[in-house]
Structures are given as structure tokens and as C-alpha cells.
Amino acid sequence: MFKNYLVKLKESFMAVFPITLIIFALIFFLVPTEVNEKVKLGISAVLLIIGMSLFTLGADSSMQELGENVGSSLSKSKKIWFMVLCSFIIGFIITFAEPDLKVLANQVMGEGASSFFFIGVVSLGVGIFLMFAVMKIIFRIRLSVILTIAYGLILILAFFVPKEFMPIAFDSGSVTTGPISVPFLMSFGLGIAAVRSGKNEDDSFGLIACCSAGPILAVMFMSLFLDPSSISAGSEVGSGLTGNIFVDMGNVILHNLGNVALVLLPILILFFVFQIFSFKFPKRRVIKMCMGFLYTYIGIVLFLTGVECGYLHI
């Protein structure tokens, strides 16, 4: 486990270091910034690296295994409607827990109910298109048919969507391909394809592409009923910070502890429901997966703290 963590830590460092170096170059040579803010950014970078490494490690040892086993269990059901309904619920739950989506929601809608509403809309889009992706596997529908229809609708809606929402819609599609949703959804598709298609893993190809189109359409539909001024709350990101490094980070960590627990709880419930009625894993394997969920939880809290205290605020 420790060797795996070192690998994840190195990957996270290589992902965060370049952008952090660029930001430091800007604030040292182009944008006058107080020393306090520079220190806060440095600490935030460390939190970001540790957080990313922890939740990717946890996702590999929990989300990936959970996704494949859930997919295999559902595919054994003879009731297609049950598989499709469960796929929708699973897609919604997994996307709701995606940390990248929470960052985007806070930028676009600000903190509070509006942020959760936006996350819910995006999660709804993923859930619906995960249903289509599962039906593609079951009925052997060509991927090109689904994508042509989806992006045809996107092209048509683009003529009616307010310009303020266009970049947000496409960003919504990209942030749902994050470190929690991708391992789970890919494994979920492989689990279904392995049972339904006689070990033909190619049938799960394109599942992420399908699920990425869902959020774009969902946000576009949402924008038709919202005032464009409703997204101005994103400018308030970081307004609650006091300027004291330790006070700010302590407050953000406490805030994220509750929020992250809230969004990860449905995934944990999903695991135990399948464990009771389907998986029946031995105790040692259950403990290992629970540890993976714990790593994921701590990692997301640290990741969001680093983003909110440093990168968004700076």
C-alpha cells in the first residue's frame, strides 16, 4: 500500500507542480501579492498534492472494485428495467460525489443551495446517459448512433442557450470525468459487458463518452429556465476568508468534512446494500474497501481545502 501511495504522490506532484510554478511566477513578477497569500498558496499546493494522491489511491482500491462488482451483479438480473433504473441511480450518486464538479459548482453558483442544485442537474445528466450506455451494452447499439443523437441535440440547443451558460455546459461535461467517476464508471461498464456479452470488453467502449454528453445537455436545458445573472455568485468565491492562514484553512476543513461526508455517504450505503444482498465479500476484503473509502474521504477534504483556500482565492 505504501509503495502504491508513493506512486500516486509522484503522479499528483507532477500534475500540480507545473501550474503552481506558473502561478508563483505570475505573483512574484506580474501581480503584487502579500507574503501571507504566497505562503497560503504554498500550503494549499501541498494539501492539493496530498489530497489528490489519497483520493486516487482510495478510488483505485474502493471505487474501481465497487464499480466492477456492481456492474457484474446487475448484469445477472433478468429484469432489464431494474438494471436501467439502478444505472441511473448509480450514475447520479457517483457524479454527486465528484470533487471536480463541486469546485466548478462553487465557482458558477457560489456556496449553498444553488451549488447543490447545479451539482444535482449535472448528476441527473450523467445518470440518464449512463442508462443509455447500459442499454447500448445490452442491446448492442452502436456508439455512433447515441453520440450522433446527443451531439445533434447539443448543436440545436446551442442556438437557444444564453451565451453565459455555453462554456459552463461544456465544462460540466469535462469535470464529470474526474478521479472518482471515471474509475467507477469504466469498471461498472466492464462488469456489465463481461457478463452480458460473454467477456467482450469492447462492448463497454465509449461509456465515458456517453456520460460526458449528459451534463452538457442537462446544463443547457437548465439554462433555458434560469436568469443568466444567477451565475454571478461565482465571483464571491473566497469572500469568507479572513486572511489568517490557519483560521481560514481550519474553517474550510471543518466545512468540507461535513459536505464531503454528505456526498460520499450514498456511495457507502450503495456498497453495504450490495454487500448484504449480492457481494458477500469476506471480512478482510470489506475492511480493505472501507479503508479505500476513508482514503478517498480524507483526500477529497484536503483537495477541496487546497483549492478553496489557495487556487481559487489567489
Side-chain angles (χ1 to χ4, degrees):
M1 180 66 74
F2 182 70
K3 289 183 178 180
N4 289 339
Y5 177 70
L6 290 179
V7 172
K8 297 297 181 184
L9 192 63
K10 181 180 178 182
E11 292 175 354
S12 300
F13 176 81
M14 296 305 296
V16 173
F17 180 73
I19 185 64
T20 303
L21 191 62
I22 292 172
I23 294 174
F24 267 112
L26 290 174
I27 63 178
F28 268 101
F29 299 108
L30 296 178
V31 183
T33 307
E34 296 180 2
V35 175
N36 188 52
E37 295 299 321
K38 295 174 183 176
V39 173
K40 187 182 293 185
L41 180 61
I43 297 174
S44 297
V46 174
L47 291 177
L48 206 65
I49 292 170
I50 296 174
M52 285 181 65
S53 60
L54 279 174
F55 75 66
T56 52
L57 178 68
D60 285 352
S61 59
S62 59
M63 298 296 177
Q64 191 169 339
E65 188 170 358
L66 177 61
E68 185 170 356
N69 283 281
V70 168
S72 299
S73 298
L74 287 180
S75 63
K76 295 173 184 177
S77 172
K78 295 181 180 179
K79 299 177 181 179
I80 294 178
W81 67 268
F82 178 74
M83 290 180 57
V84 172
L85 177 61
C86 287
S87 299
F88 168 76
I89 296 172
I90 289 168
F92 184 93
I93 290 174
I94 293 299
T95 306
F96 205 85
E98 182 58 58
D100 294 350
L101 177 56
K102 188 177 186 304
V103 173
L104 177 64
N106 288 345
Q107 286 185 291
V108 172
M109 308 299 289
E111 291 279 359
S114 297
S115 174
F116 277 100
F117 172 74
F118 180 83
I119 293 173
V121 168
V122 174
S123 301
L124 186 67
V126 174
I128 292 172
F129 270 76
L130 183 59
M131 291 194 305
F132 295 151
V134 169
M135 288 190 284
K136 163 193 170 296
I137 295 173
I138 296 173
F139 299 111
R140 303 290 182 88
I141 301 173
R142 294 178 61 184
L143 176 63
S144 58
V145 173
I146 297 176
L147 293 183
T148 299
I149 295 174
Y151 283 95
L153 287 173
I154 290 172
L155 180 62
I156 294 171
L157 282 174
F159 290 99
F160 305 97
V161 171
K163 62 180 181 179
E164 293 85 353
F165 282 95
M166 282 295 291
I168 297 172
F170 284 93
D171 281 346
S172 299
S174 64
V175 297
T176 53
T177 58
I180 284 185
S181 53
V182 168
F184 183 94
L185 294 178
M186 289 187 67
S187 301
F188 178 75
L190 287 172
I192 291 180
V195 176
R196 304 292 296 191
S197 308
K199 304 292 182 180
N200 184 10
E201 296 181 351
D202 289 343
D203 284 346
S204 67
F205 179 77
L207 186 143
I208 300 299
C210 289
C211 291
S212 297
I216 301 174
L217 280 169
V219 174
M220 282 184 161
F221 276 114
M222 178 192 75
S223 70
L224 300 178
F225 304 96
L226 289 182
D227 186 342
S229 63
S230 63
I231 65 174
S232 62
S235 61
E236 298 175 5
V237 170
S239 59
L241 301 180
T242 65
N244 185 296
I245 298 174
F246 300 105
V247 171
D248 288 341
M249 290 192 170
N251 290 335
V252 174
I253 286 176
L254 288 175
H255 178 70
N256 285 330
L257 282 173
N259 281 350
V260 175
L262 183 65
V263 297
L264 284 182
L265 182 61
I267 299 178
L268 199 58
I269 293 174
L270 177 72
F271 167 64
F272 282 111
V273 168
F274 273 89
Q275 167 64 16
I276 293 171
F277 294 103
S278 179
F279 297 161
K280 303 189 185 300
F281 292 151
K283 183 178 179 180
R284 185 174 180 179
R285 191 173 179 184
V286 172
I287 293 174
K288 180 183 177 182
M289 291 191 68
C290 287
M291 289 301 297
F293 286 121
L294 180 61
Y295 294 148
T296 302
Y297 173 66
I298 296 173
I300 294 176
V301 170
L302 295 178
F303 172 84
L304 292 176
T305 301
V307 170
E308 292 171 21
C309 285
Y311 289 81
L312 290 184
H313 180 58
I314 198 71

Coordinates of all heavy atoms in Angstrom, one line a residue, residues 5 63 72 89 138 148 173 198 224 248 262 275 292:
Y5 N 1.1 4.3 -2.7 CA 0.8 5.7 -2.3 C 2.0 6.6 -2.9 O 1.7 7.7 -3.3 CB 0.7 5.8 -0.8 CG 0.5 7.3 -0.4 CD1 -0.6 8.0 -0.7 CD2 1.6 8.0 0.2 CE1 -0.8 9.3 -0.4 CE2 1.5 9.3 0.6 CZ 0.3 10.0 0.3 OH 0.1 11.3 0.6
M63 N -13.5 2.4 -5.3 CA -14.4 2.8 -6.4 C -14.3 1.8 -7.6 O -15.3 1.4 -8.1 CB -14.2 4.2 -6.9 CG -14.4 5.3 -5.8 SD -16.1 5.3 -5.2 CE -15.9 6.6 -4.0
S72 N -21.3 -6.3 -12.5 CA -21.4 -7.7 -12.7 C -22.7 -8.2 -12.0 O -23.4 -9.1 -12.6 CB -20.2 -8.5 -12.1 OG -19.0 -8.1 -12.8
I89 N -29.6 5.6 -10.9 CA -29.3 5.9 -9.5 C -27.8 6.0 -9.3 O -27.3 6.9 -8.6 CB -30.0 5.0 -8.6 CG1 -31.5 5.1 -8.8 CG2 -29.6 5.2 -7.1 CD1 -32.3 4.0 -8.0
I138 N -26.5 -3.7 -23.5 CA -27.5 -4.8 -23.5 C -28.0 -5.1 -24.9 O -28.0 -6.3 -25.3 CB -28.6 -4.5 -22.6 CG1 -28.1 -4.3 -21.1 CG2 -29.7 -5.5 -22.7 CD1 -29.2 -3.8 -20.2
T148 N -24.2 10.6 -32.0 CA -24.8 11.5 -33.1 C -26.1 12.2 -32.6 O -26.2 13.4 -32.8 CB -25.1 10.7 -34.4 OG1 -23.9 10.1 -34.9 CG2 -25.7 11.6 -35.4
G173 N -19.3 18.8 -18.7 CA -19.0 17.6 -19.3 C -17.6 17.1 -18.9 O -17.4 15.9 -18.7
G198 N -20.5 -12.0 -22.9 CA -19.5 -13.1 -23.0 C -18.1 -12.7 -23.0 O -17.3 -13.1 -23.8
L224 N -32.2 27.3 -20.0 CA -33.3 27.8 -20.7 C -34.4 28.3 -19.7 O -35.3 29.1 -20.0 CB -34.0 26.7 -21.5 CG -33.1 26.1 -22.7 CD1 -33.9 25.1 -23.4 CD2 -32.7 27.2 -23.6
D248 N -8.4 30.3 8.3 CA -9.1 30.0 7.1 C -9.1 28.5 6.7 O -10.1 28.0 6.4 CB -8.4 30.8 5.9 CG -8.7 32.3 6.0 OD1 -9.7 32.7 6.7 OD2 -8.0 33.1 5.4
L262 N -21.4 14.1 3.4 CA -22.8 14.0 2.8 C -22.8 13.4 1.5 O -23.7 12.6 1.1 CB -23.3 15.5 2.8 CG -24.8 15.6 2.4 CD1 -25.7 14.9 3.4 CD2 -25.1 17.1 2.3
Q275 N -23.3 -5.4 -0.6 CA -22.5 -6.4 0.2 C -23.5 -7.3 0.9 O -23.3 -8.6 1.0 CB -21.7 -5.7 1.2 CG -21.1 -6.5 2.3 CD -20.1 -7.6 1.9 OE1 -19.6 -7.5 0.7 NE2 -19.9 -8.6 2.7
G292 N -10.3 2.1 1.7 CA -10.2 2.9 0.5 C -11.2 4.0 0.5 O -10.8 5.1 0.0

